Amino acid sequence: MRALAVGYEPILSSGHAACPGCIEALTVRHVAAALGTNTVAVVPPSCMAIIAGPQPFSSFKIPVYQPSLEASAAAATGLRRALDAQEKRDTLVAVFAGDGGTYDIGFQCLSSAAERNEDFIYFCFDNEGYMNTGAQKSSATPHFAKTGSTPAGKASKKKNLTEIMAAHGVPYVATACAGYLADLIRKGEKATRIRGTRIITLLVPCLDGWGLADDCGLEAARFAVESGVFPLYEVEEGCRYTLNEAGKTRPVRDYLSLQRRYRHATPEEIDALQAEVDAGWARLLERVAASRESGLTPSAK
Amino acid sequence: MSVGAPIPTAWTTGTTEVLKTGTWRAALPRYVSAPSPCHLACPVAGESAEWIGRVRERDFRGAWEILVRNNPFPATAGRICHRPCEGACNRSGFDSSLAIRALERHVGDRAIAEGWRFPPPPSERAEPVAVVGGGPSGLSAAYHMRRRGYRVALFERERELGGLMRYGIPAYRLPRAVLDAEIDRILALGIDLRLGAAIDRPEDLARLRAEFGAVYLAVGAGRQKRLQTLDYEKPWAIDGAAWLRRANAGRPPALGPRLAVVGGGSAAIDVARGARRFGHEVTLIALEREGEMLAQRSEIEEAIEEGVRLQDGAMIERVTERGAKSLALECVRVDFIAGAERGSFRVERIAGSEFRIAADAVVSAIGQDPDLGAIEGALSTRRALIETGEAQTTSAPDLYAGGDAASMERFVTAAIGMGRRAALAIDASFAAARRERGAASERPVPLAAIATFYYPKGERPCERRLGVEERLRGEAEVEFGILPEEAPREAERCFSCGTCIFCDNCFLYCPDLAVRRIPSGYEVLGDYCKGCGICVKECPTGSMEMAEELR
């Protein structure tokens, strides 16, 4: 057991209104610190907007702009251009959005900003539902998960945001979570060194929405990675795939059994989820292997 | 903006730090230092998590200095300890227990090789104290009192120190160069040594009590228990301790080629294995079944490897002489039923299971009682032992007792631990203010308190032993130590139960930035902590615990 060396200035403050044990607050603590103080944040309505603080107080020691729910990427585009016009090219623009504001409502402007390769970093804090309003389903809610609006379990699969954004051919797309903190911080810092649209999907187990004990968020995140439900990987220029945690060492059942939202799942549903995860994992490994064979390794360019 | 103009509502005037979210919680984490299970299991108060942490950092001198705070015999204990620490190790519930004894031996051997010495006592004390018996317990008591500055006189009836470690345990388990080095290092502290001085009679003890402020009695257990079925007047029957004493001096008694050894403890195994080295055919007859024998598992395995035939769950009922030399041992299988107290038991004969063993001689090693001639009338006894309290106190305020004379826990390290406890009690009786840290009363750290996510699985290093043929040729040490490069690697596996390693997890994983680094470790900020417990759950050493708050 070795200590993780983290030597940066904190940007998140104590006193924010996140639930006890909130992984979103923990994640943004490290993401914001990795970006540094020369950053402007865009926070649409979401749990993050609550965490950012009730006016006139802020939990972020950087400027925060709160646009409407569907407009984060457009707001980031505008901020970027305004900063560029003021010659503040070193100031980063970062979006801290939820999955509802990304997968659903904010999707069209994110897609068009990515198509234009606008210069900002977009972090999607994916807690797999509209958790801030009492846990309704979003298109990030996974198959069979119970929410307020899918009381018998969601009938459709989760949208794969990482693959969709990779298909835009942007410079950098990645997944990360606080359960693998060194990996998360590395990816945040790496994103600051790239120009263009960068999108990082962060898995954020929601204690209340998923039905987890206050101290179990990190364990759930780790089980998601270990079971292959949420693989940690990076895609550069839409084609260079790197898998960061190579082993799929745990059955999906272990991950589901931690969470109350899957308590109703039948053995058939669990088998079906396992098959979906296996298929997704196999597809990912193919892409990793293909980019290796074609010489598209991250250092090749 | 001009003075007095209202602040726009969209402006931020300060951080959320004005909001004290600490009021939300029901429980507050505490940064603690808790005892590890290995520490609590150790008869010598091992502080294992601490010294193993030094090994991990390759600070072997630092590790040794922590070890000898409690035990002056790390190289000895690193070979012959019954290792209760490894049985208690949390790692055994994860992959395999840490090789603590092998690590201790490694550190102890380094100390001998490098010639590390104990520092002189920080100050001299006037009170004279006496220790009777120069075995592991007496030497340990003398050591601890001398390091605390007392003038110590050590009385030993034999011509050499070591007691059971010299006259009982064979060199192939404990090389004499190792034993001598660790004893010499204690003597170098300046101990008034009285060799050949037996304290046998009540008047001898009375003289000591007049001269010394406190006396520690660690006279061992020298009187052999004997089998009623054997006639010890015959040349073919001999006590195990007598056999070992002569064998360890290189001159075993002349007995016929076929030896029957009776007993299930370490002494019986030592006789059996020693007899194999002198060319005897050996049958070991134990009342207990193999799994219940008091000897350590590895000793039994090694004995069987060396060709000792084991007749477990059996006893001799009758011995018949056949001609001039040969004996017929009429044996029977028995059920061994252990009693509530260590050393108490009963056996039930299994009818119809009689069998016969041919032998030339019988060595019995079925236990020893202390010879308590000196204390007659002075102290109360219980079941042939000196009766003692928690701190090795006796019924007389100036007398303390320990080791085999006061306990049925017949382990060298248990005796060393009793010597240490007695020394601390004597010290405390002279300076009533000083007290030992009460680690034993705190709860030990369970495996569930360790965040095992941070530890890759890995097996302990395999134990390497000398080939059987080479063993039977003489006194060569049977067990090898671990390799130098293995020691820090094995120490990496230690969970450091209850001992903070300053990994920052509690600080880094707090969503509320409510854990702060301070010079002595970490501090929880009550103003902001919401009581989620992540810092407790993510601690890899069990150094954070939740405490319910009532307010």
Side-chain angles (χ1 to χ4, degrees), chain A residues 1-4 6 8 10-23 25-26 29-30 51-61 178-182 214-216 218-219 222 226, chain B residues 9-21 24 56-57 453-456 492 501-515 517 525 528 530-534 537-538 540:
Chain A
M1 168 73 211
R2 280 284 175 265
L4 176 62
V6 174
Y8 48 62
I11 286 177
L12 188 70
S13 310
S14 299
H16 60 71
C19 302
C22 177
I23 302 303
L26 172 60
R29 168 186 170 183
H30 292 289
I51 294 169
Q55 277 294 0
F57 305 115
S58 172
S59 62
F60 286 102
K61 291 173 184 159
Y180 292 78
L181 193 54
D214 283 0
D215 59 357
C216 277
L218 290 169
E219 186 175 39
R222 287 174 189 145
E226 289 169 359
Chain B
T9 50
W11 281 29
T12 301
T13 58
T15 77
T16 49
E17 280 162 8
V18 297
L19 308 171
K20 304 295 189 223
T21 51
W24 299 12
R56 197 159 49 228
E57 307 299 331
F453 171 78
Y454 298 99
Y455 299 93
E492 286 274 1
I501 55 169
F502 310 103
C503 71
D504 274 357
N505 271 8
C506 53
F507 164 76
L508 287 173
Y509 286 106
C510 179
D512 293 290
L513 298 97
V515 178
R517 297 186 187 110
L525 305 176
Y528 300 112
K530 294 170 184 163
C532 69
I534 288 184
K537 182 116 175 186
E538 294 301 314

Side-chain angles (χ1 to χ4, degrees), chain B residues 103-327:
Chain B
L103 288 175
E104 180 171 8
R105 169 175 168 171
H106 184 75
V107 174
D109 284 353
R110 258 179 202 264
I112 294 172
E114 306 276 336
W116 295 335
R117 316 297 281 181
F118 303 123
S123 61
E124 294 290 334
R125 292 178 182 282
E127 301 95 335
V129 290
V131 173
V132 183
S137 205
L139 282 166
S140 165
Y143 163 78
H144 282 287
M145 288 191 283
R146 185 63 203 129
R147 281 201 76 178
R148 282 164 179 75
Y150 294 97
R151 288 195 291 122
V152 180
L154 177 61
F155 296 81
E156 167 58 51
R157 74 162 63 233
E158 302 291 345
R159 288 206 310 271
E160 283 185 282
L161 290 172
L164 183 97
M165 297 188 288
R166 184 176 306 281
Y167 298 108
I169 293 171
Y172 58 84
R173 289 213 288 136
L174 175 57
R176 293 304 180 255
V178 171
L179 179 62
D180 290 340
E182 295 208 308
I183 292 177
D184 288 346
R185 205 168 51 198
I186 296 172
L187 298 181
L189 279 168
I191 285 173
D192 174 10
L193 194 55
R194 319 265 180 101
L195 291 176
I199 308 294
D200 280 342
R201 298 162 304 165
E203 48 272 36
D204 299 333
L205 182 60
R207 214 178 46 244
L208 281 192
R209 293 176 77 174
E211 193 182 335
F212 296 93
V215 180
Y216 180 55
L217 299 166
V219 296
R223 219 177 57 215
Q224 288 283 303
K225 286 187 183 162
R226 290 187 154 182
L227 285 169
Q228 287 174 353
T229 44
L230 288 192
D231 178 359
Y232 288 86
E233 297 298 311
K234 301 280 189 186
W236 47 259
I238 179 166
D239 286 318
W243 192 93
L244 278 174
R245 192 184 171 89
R246 288 166 63 178
N248 287 344
R251 298 180 301 277
L255 301 168
R258 295 167 304 172
L259 222 56
V261 180
V262 182
S266 288
I269 299 272
D270 285 342
V271 174
R273 296 177 69 188
R276 287 291 299 139
R277 282 163 174 73
F278 289 106
H280 290 283
E281 274 178 49
V282 181
T283 305
L284 180 66
I285 304 168
L287 291 174
E288 308 95 324
R289 300 308 307 240
E290 191 180 329
E292 302 162 332
M293 288 166 64
L294 286 177
Q296 294 180 46
R297 188 68 231 148
S298 60
E299 293 179 80
I300 299 170
E301 276 168 19
E302 286 166 10
I304 292 172
E305 280 171 11
E306 289 162 16
V308 172
R309 278 193 303 269
L310 177 63
Q311 292 285 356
D312 57 339
M315 69 176 191
I316 301 177
E317 290 198 295
R318 202 170 314 104
V319 181
T320 344
E321 288 181 278
R322 292 268 174 106
K325 280 182 176 169
S326 185
L327 305 171

Side-chain angles (χ1 to χ4, degrees), chain A residues 135-137 141 144-155 260-265 269:
Chain A
Q136 294 82 27
K137 81 118 202 168
T141 304
F144 306 120
K146 185 175 180 169
T147 67
S149 50
T150 55
K154 190 183 174 221
R260 206 168 48 231
R261 63 176 175 160
Y262 288 109
R263 195 178 280 172
H264 67 284
E269 288 173 339

